Amino acid sequence: RQVSSRYESHTFDTVANKEYIYEYRDGKPESKTVKTYDFDHCLIKSATYIVDCQKYSAEQDGKPTPVFEIKSSRSYVYDENSELIETIDYVYDSEGVAQRILTFFDKNQNILASKVFDADDFLMSETSYKYDRKGNETQRVTVNYIEDGSKETLTTKNTYKYDRQGRVTLRENYYNGIRMFTDRTVYL
């Protein structure tokens, strides 16, 4: 059995306020992530690139240099108190942007809602979240829209209950209003 080795390399450019993270497997580059920070050290953008094994740029030190193709990127939006209020994710395929995902946060950094759009800016799905006083998720509702223009929506709803230690004791799943299953957990 062959064992593969993985490791990361981190570099920070203090002039550009960028962090570069390279991931390697068996000594070969696999991905690169570039994180950009503002002058208050808040992360404002993150982009991940993967190696296209079929493409190489000019040789460097007698070795071909791999070409990194973008896979995803994330932008961060903060309020006037430097609190995160929104992220904007882009997922790329070989033809460009495949999806755009907007995620909105409350003052406790809990996700309030998210929206997923396709490359043509069609709203594919919306998810909303509710939390109890302790910040435990109590409900998640996802609505998926049909792209053929019909008004039909497919809705999935999950509800959660917790014990005093914050552990999930009950989870119910509904699909278009019909309960599909209930999970109960008893802790000894």
Side-chain angles (χ1 to χ4, degrees):
R1 178 176 144 201
Q2 186 176 4
V3 178
S4 76
S5 65
R6 294 180 65 105
Y7 63 94
E8 289 184 355
S9 164
H10 294 255
T11 306
F12 195 85
D13 179 341
T14 56
V15 174
N17 268 358
K18 290 187 179 188
E19 179 181 16
Y20 299 91
I21 304 165
Y22 292 89
E23 291 185 18
Y24 297 87
R25 181 189 299 256
D26 297 328
K28 297 178 182 171
E30 197 170 58
S31 70
K32 172 177 77 172
T33 300
V34 180
K35 295 182 177 184
T36 306
Y37 299 86
D38 66 12
F39 292 107
D40 293 324
H41 306 291
C42 290
L43 182 63
I44 55 174
K45 186 170 184 177
S46 177
T48 300
Y49 304 81
I50 57 171
V51 172
D52 184 337
C53 296
Q54 307 301 316
K55 296 180 182 175
Y56 288 90
S57 63
E59 289 193 11
Q60 187 174 25
D61 298 329
K63 297 179 183 175
T65 304
V67 173
F68 290 93
E69 303 234 343
I70 190 155
K71 178 181 178 184
S72 65
S73 67
R74 174 177 285 174
S75 296
Y76 300 82
V77 180
Y78 299 90
D79 67 11
E80 62 278 353
N81 298 317
S82 297
E83 297 290 331
L84 180 67
I85 57 172
E86 181 182 352
T87 59
I88 306 165
D89 291 280
Y90 293 95
V91 179
Y92 301 90
D93 62 15
S94 61
E95 297 178 17
V97 175
Q99 288 185 343
R100 178 172 53 102
I101 305 161
L102 304 177
T103 305
F104 305 94
F105 299 87
D106 67 13
K107 63 182 166 95
N108 298 318
Q109 301 303 296
N110 293 317
I111 298 173
L112 289 174
S114 64
K115 296 181 178 190
V116 179
F117 298 87
D118 70 8
D120 297 321
D121 219 28
F122 172 78
L123 178 61
M124 298 168 52
S125 69
E126 291 180 281
T127 303
S128 62
Y129 302 80
K130 291 185 180 177
Y131 301 89
D132 63 16
R133 291 186 326 261
K134 295 180 181 178
N136 296 314
E137 182 181 323
T138 57
Q139 182 175 300
R140 178 186 304 189
V141 177
T142 300
V143 178
N144 296 301
Y145 298 99
I146 310 296
E147 198 167 357
D148 67 5
S150 68
K151 295 293 181 186
E152 180 183 359
T153 59
L154 307 173
T155 304
T156 303
K157 176 180 174 182
N158 290 303
T159 59
Y160 307 90
K161 292 189 179 176
Y162 300 84
D163 64 13
R164 289 187 175 141
Q165 286 81 31
R167 301 176 296 192
V168 175
T169 58
L170 178 71
R171 181 171 70 109
E172 295 180 307
N173 175 270
Y174 297 85
Y175 183 74
N176 282 345
I178 300 169
R179 184 168 46 195
M180 302 304 287
F181 65 84
T182 300
D183 284 338
R184 295 183 197 280
T185 304
V186 177
Y187 298 93
L188 304 175

